[in-house]
Amino acid sequence: SQPCWNEYLTTRIEQNMVVSCTCPISECHAQPTAAFIYSIVSSEETIAKYEKALLRGYVECCSNLTWCTNPQGCDQILLKDGLGYGAACSKCSWISCFSCNFPEAHYPASCSHMSHMTCAKCNHGFCWRCLKPWRPTHKDYYNCSAMVSKAAWQKKRFQDYNERCTFHHHAREFAMNLRNRVSSIREIAKMRTLTFVLDACKVLEQARKVLAYSCVYSYYNQDIESIDIVEQQTESLELHTNAL
């Protein structure tokens, strides 16, 4: 009956299982069509959830489509082939990386740089950003039998780069918050002269982002000549960024 189908389909939609659901009769493997669902389900809210589920299923099936990875939340669909480094989401301006699971473009650090850190002696992994264990079940977090002197040097080197990386991420958040506050003031006071401040904040955000990921790149880079050049360029960029 229609009430039974309505309850069944509504439940499947609420459980995000409608795309793969079949007839409730165990011997029948037929899937309800979109036209059938529209004719049975009357709730506009439920239909909206159904249409979102269809869209999610379509995006997941298309290898050249993906969702914007902005951690603040964005429902924009991106075309991988048409959005490379330097181009931003048309809705929120977030720049995504399509080659790894890291939530944003991370130039100059490579995708392999953005994977979790791993100790060469005990294979313990931990997160670059928060320093928490990559695997929560690893109990001997600080218990590693590697050589103390080498481990101490490596730990100091990691701490130095991590502190710099963390500083630039915090400074980037400051620039983003400043841009939001200035934008609100301009809208209330209708002051077009504040546009240059907004542009400056955007430049600050991008510069801090590059400086943060330069720390990751430099930490992994083993080429002494190359790292000297990168450090010089990074120092110059940081000097001008601080001035701005």
Side-chain angles (χ1 to χ4, degrees):
S1 65
Q2 183 167 337
C4 293
W5 268 107
N6 180 61
E7 183 177 353
Y8 173 72
L9 292 174
T10 299
T11 301
R12 287 295 181 269
I13 293 172
E14 293 292 339
Q15 295 175 344
N16 292 320
M17 298 172 60
V18 66
V19 176
S20 59
C21 80
T22 58
C23 176
I25 300 177
S26 58
E27 294 81 10
C28 181
H29 301 290
Q31 291 184 313
T33 64
F36 179 74
I37 293 176
Y38 281 121
S39 68
I40 294 295
V41 180
S42 58
S43 170
E44 294 183 1
E45 182 180 353
T46 304
I47 288 296
K49 291 181 180 179
Y50 169 65
E51 292 176 342
K52 287 184 178 180
L54 287 180
L55 183 60
R56 283 197 304 270
Y58 177 75
V59 173
E60 291 173 0
C61 289
C62 296
S63 59
N64 65 331
L65 296 179
T66 187
W67 298 99
C68 175
T69 58
N70 189 335
Q72 301 299 321
C74 178
D75 58 0
Q76 186 77 347
I77 298 172
L78 306 179
L79 178 64
K80 292 183 180 180
D81 295 338
L83 186 64
Y85 176 76
C89 171
S90 60
K91 186 173 183 178
C92 69
S93 300
W94 186 261
I95 305 176
S96 303
C97 177
F98 297 139
S99 301
C100 69
N101 292 326
F102 200 74
E104 69 173 344
H106 41 73
Y107 178 85
S110 68
C111 291
S112 60
H113 290 161
M114 302 315 299
S115 62
H116 63 277
M117 302 278 292
T118 304
C119 174
K121 185 68 177 180
C122 68
N123 290 325
H124 167 60
F126 54 95
C127 175
W128 165 266
R129 293 289 298 275
C130 67
L131 300 184
K132 293 181 179 179
W134 196 263
R135 297 177 181 175
T137 56
H138 186 90
K139 298 179 180 179
D140 299 325
Y141 185 32
Y142 292 106
N143 184 15
C144 180
S145 58
M147 294 178 59
V148 175
S149 58
K150 184 177 181 180
W153 175 83
Q154 188 68 11
K155 180 179 179 181
K156 178 63 168 62
R157 183 170 179 267
F158 172 78
Q159 288 177 339
D160 290 343
Y161 278 109
N162 183 65
E163 287 177 1
R164 289 168 55 188
C165 182
T166 302
F167 169 80
H168 291 305
H169 277 300
H170 288 166
R172 179 187 175 190
E173 291 176 359
F174 169 81
M176 294 171 64
N177 292 333
L178 178 61
R179 177 162 63 91
N180 291 334
R181 292 199 301 270
V182 173
S183 179
S184 298
I185 294 174
R186 189 183 68 164
E187 291 178 2
I188 295 175
K190 297 182 179 180
M191 298 174 61
R192 295 184 178 179
T193 53
L194 291 178
T195 300
F196 81 96
V197 181
L198 296 177
D199 293 339
C201 289
K202 292 179 181 178
V203 174
L204 272 178
E205 291 175 34
Q206 181 63 25
R208 290 299 183 186
K209 176 182 174 182
V210 173
L211 285 169
Y213 293 124
S214 293
C215 296
V216 181
Y217 175 85
S218 297
Y219 177 80
Y220 281 102
N221 198 336
Q222 302 297 321
D223 187 343
I224 302 300
E225 294 184 3
S226 172
I227 201 64
D228 286 342
I229 297 175
V230 172
E231 291 289 353
Q232 291 175 5
Q233 295 176 334
T234 301
E235 183 178 353
S236 176
L237 175 59
E238 187 170 0
L239 181 66
H240 288 87
T241 302
N242 290 337
L244 178 60

